[in-house]
Amino acid sequence: RKEVEQDPGPFNVPEGATVAFNCTYSNSASQSFFWYRQDCRKEPKLLMSVYSSGNEDGRFTAQLNRASQYISLLIRDSKLSDSATYLCVVRDVGFNKFYFGSGTKLNVKP
Amino acid sequence: DVKVTQSSRYLVKRTGEKVFLECVQDMDHENMFWYRQDPGLGLRLIYFSYDVKMKEKGDIPEGYSVSREKKERFSLILESASTNQTSMYLCASSPSVAGNQPQHFGDGTRLSIL
């Protein structure tokens, strides 16, 4: 079983739509959670950390559900520039290792 | 801002060559990582280091070695390059403290082995 699992997509949505991605993780002792964005042929870049109480950054909202061991990312009012692959990342209890999901591809269409 | 710098964006080498990929970070991070990323396979951890001269194998260490002589620098070595090592290589760093401390990535090196 993979440490972190994501739906690979692609999610094809029109501009202005709201879209949500989920990600599940297997280690209940995991400490920290993140969403990264990766554009084609580029490096992953941190989009946002995910806090226990949930957090928002502009059009992006992240949620953590420890009981069910999943995190989510909600994007409101999608822009063409949001088209990318979104990676779910979990940091282990020892702090030294990070586990990456395989990514969810988002295509925002005009 | 954290800066992770990889020595080359693109590199072409021949089968059997010894290849060095260099990575430098400027944030005094304890942890440094080397990944490779291939289509359909996601990021796979090759090696990581949590301190100077310390290293641990990741998921796919075969055919690779690493060196960390100074805290800011982490080198990946392909001992005898093979065509199946053609890939995008990504270096990352992170602090070792608790809390929501993410990894920061370099721009990546696209390595082609001919």
Side-chain angles (χ1 to χ4, degrees), chain B residues 29-44:
Chain B
H29 286 168
E30 293 80 12
N31 300 329
M32 295 188 74
F33 307 80
W34 275 107
Y35 296 90
R36 65 177 282 178
Q37 187 174 31
D38 301 287
L41 296 177
L43 270 82
R44 293 182 291 169

Side-chain angles (χ1 to χ4, degrees), chain B residues 74-103:
Chain B
F74 192 35
S75 303
L76 179 70
I77 304 150
L78 284 65
E79 298 290 344
S80 177
S82 64
T83 55
N84 63 11
Q85 292 178 309
T86 291
S87 187
M88 166 81 132
Y89 288 86
L90 289 157
C91 175
S93 74
S94 74
S96 63
V97 295
N100 278 35
Q101 300 292 336
Q103 281 185 327

Side-chain angles (χ1 to χ4, degrees), chain A residues 18-75:
Chain A
T18 295
V19 62
F21 310 134
N22 281 341
C23 159
T24 58
Y25 60 95
S26 60
N27 186 352
S28 60
S30 296
Q31 290 289 320
S32 307
F33 309 88
F34 310 93
W35 284 102
Y36 280 70
R37 171 198 169 119
Q38 187 172 25
D39 294 294
C40 189
R41 301 175 68 83
K42 300 277 194 168
E43 78 278 16
K45 291 186 177 177
L46 179 68
L47 180 66
M48 58 197 302
S49 301
V50 185
Y51 300 108
S52 297
S53 55
N55 48 297
E56 192 173 300
D57 183 1
R59 298 181 292 107
F60 299 84
T61 301
Q63 296 278 351
L64 168 64
N65 185 319
R66 283 194 182 271
S68 300
Q69 293 180 215
Y70 76 84
I71 67 174
S72 63
L73 178 68
L74 181 78
I75 305 175

